[in-house]
Amino acid sequence: MNTHFHAIIPAGGSGTRLWPLSRRATPKFLHDVLGLGRSLIQATWDRVAPIVGDDRVWVVTGESHFDQVAEQLPHIARGQIIAEPSPKDSAAAIGLAAMLIAREDPEAIVGSFSADHSITNVDEFRLVIDQAVAAAETGDIVTVGIMPRNPATAYGYIETGDLLGLDGAPTARRALAFAEKPEASTARQYVNSGRYRWNAGMFIAKASSLLDILAEEDPPLYSGLARIAEAWDTSDHAEVLSAVWPGLEKRAIDYVVAEPAAAAGRVIVIPGDFGWDDVGDFDSVARLRQPVPGEPRGVISIGGNTDLLEVDASGVVFSEGPRTVAIVGLDDLVVVDTDDVLLITSRSHAQDVKKAVSLADERGLDELL
């Protein structure tokens, strides 16, 4: 275990494609979306805490979710839950956490791991992160590139170059460039080339290296975060935070740090193949819970005490309470039954669930958002 390695868990977003389970007040990372007995943020903790130690895990979340996060993660010190007054995307979240960590540990290496992703092969994940930490000792920014399962258009990609021959990181390659979410034809070209990996948004780096790039690429954001960090444990904390935070630009860490660093030849990618998924919609949930190949398909029930009656059907059902649900002659169906909303869709239309959220918003149904 590297005693200078700290994990940052950004826990934000409303997860509109997993509505009505995921909402502003209770976003998807607080839910046991996969029906495995742990919420997504608890599963993230379970993966990273053994790598860094309980006392070196930091969570960045919204002020309104602070108490929920603290309740779900009882082993984390409340001082290591960083509360944001409003969402400002990952550059502000990770940047502020890196500053607070660097104050305590100037030699810190930080790794960011989203609160709402799924990883099925945890042992392989930890081996990959061990390599990433070793590679970060070079001072470069390190990311994890996921072996594509298919030519997905929902993910960004990383173009990889030659092996670097680094001690402790034998699979490390130079990252040549980051690519935005592609069209289907471009995604096929990426996958067929064998040079591209999915961008899972995991970044590992010396805190000092990450902050140097942030300062160079976005001086106003850096200086604003520095003011907040300087006042963090003082009596001026609330005043400075309320004065500075609203004016910070909303930008992703990919654009502020990773892409400029890649253009300068300062990003390393560690290939990973450990069953990663961003659990972005109900199709992802169904895929992660579907039977192993060769077993009969059926309807998967998650949550509540659902009495399921299925006839020639397949899909996934979520229920928050006792309910009898009968599905007859329908394949790849998604049913989500909460106290105030019943959602019925198909796996093929899972991405469109966010449109229903937009409709509810347009009609002023704030209590459903």
Side-chain angles (χ1 to χ4, degrees), residues 304-308 317 319-325 337-339 342:
N305 301 304
T306 306
D307 186 7
L308 189 60
V317 173
S319 180
E320 290 189 338
R323 171 80 71 176
T324 297
V325 178
D337 180 30
T338 69
D339 289 341
L342 174 63

Side-chain angles (χ1 to χ4, degrees), residues 283-308:
D283 181 54
S284 296
V285 173
R287 183 176 63 251
L288 289 166
R289 289 299 311 274
Q290 66 189 6
V292 297
E295 291 187 2
R297 299 173 69 200
V299 179
I300 302 158
S301 176
I302 298 176
N305 301 304
T306 306
D307 186 7
L308 189 60

Side-chain angles (χ1 to χ4, degrees), residues 237-265:
H237 173 156
E239 181 180 352
V240 172
L241 187 63
S242 63
V244 176
W245 190 265
L248 298 180
E249 190 174 2
K250 198 172 185 178
R251 299 186 69 191
I253 195 78
D254 305 61
Y255 304 136
V256 182
V257 172
E259 291 184 8

